[in-house]
């Protein structure tokens, strides 16, 4: 799971603003890499919808929302 960094907080805050999820292109346009997004998914802070070739969308999970609340 990505460490509690400003990048992780920024990503979770972005995802939290879109309860139906964000497209991969949208998150990449905000400066997040596919590797970073995959780490959020592996850490269960987000889920990803996939098709045969790539991520289609990414969405925050309840655990991701809890991680935002726990920020100092």
């Amino acid at each position: 799971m990505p460490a509690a960094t400003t990048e992780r907080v920024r990503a979770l805050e972005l995802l939290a603003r879109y309860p139906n999820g964000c497209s991969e292109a949208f998150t990449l346009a905000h400066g997040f890499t596919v590797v970073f997004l995959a780490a959020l998914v592996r850490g269960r802070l987000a889920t990803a919808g996939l098709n045969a070739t790539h991520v289609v969308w990414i969405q925050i999970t309840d655990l991701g929302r809890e991680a935002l609340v726990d920020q100092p």
Side-chain angles (χ1 to χ4, degrees), residues 31-57:
F32 301 109
T33 65
V34 171
V35 172
F36 180 79
L37 297 173
L40 291 178
V41 171
R42 281 192 309 275
R44 298 189 319 201
L45 298 174
T47 59
L50 309 170
N51 70 16
T53 58
H54 66 282
V55 173
V56 177
W57 57 263

Side-chain angles (χ1 to χ4, degrees), residues 1-9 36:
M1 170 178 355
T5 63
T6 54
E7 182 179 25
R8 184 181 88 170
V9 171
F36 180 79

Side-chain angles (χ1 to χ4, degrees), residues 1 8-9 12 45 62-71:
M1 170 178 355
R8 184 181 88 170
V9 171
L12 293 175
L45 298 174
D62 290 340
L63 186 61
R65 290 183 194 285
E66 291 171 18
L68 277 176
V69 172
D70 292 341
Q71 292 302 311

Side-chain angles (χ1 to χ4, degrees), residues 1 9 11-13 15 17 19-20 22 24-25 28 34 61 63 69:
M1 170 178 355
V9 171
L12 293 175
E13 287 175 343
L15 295 174
R17 288 195 302 265
N20 294 321
C22 301
E24 175 191 31
L28 294 176
V34 171
T61 62
L63 186 61
V69 172

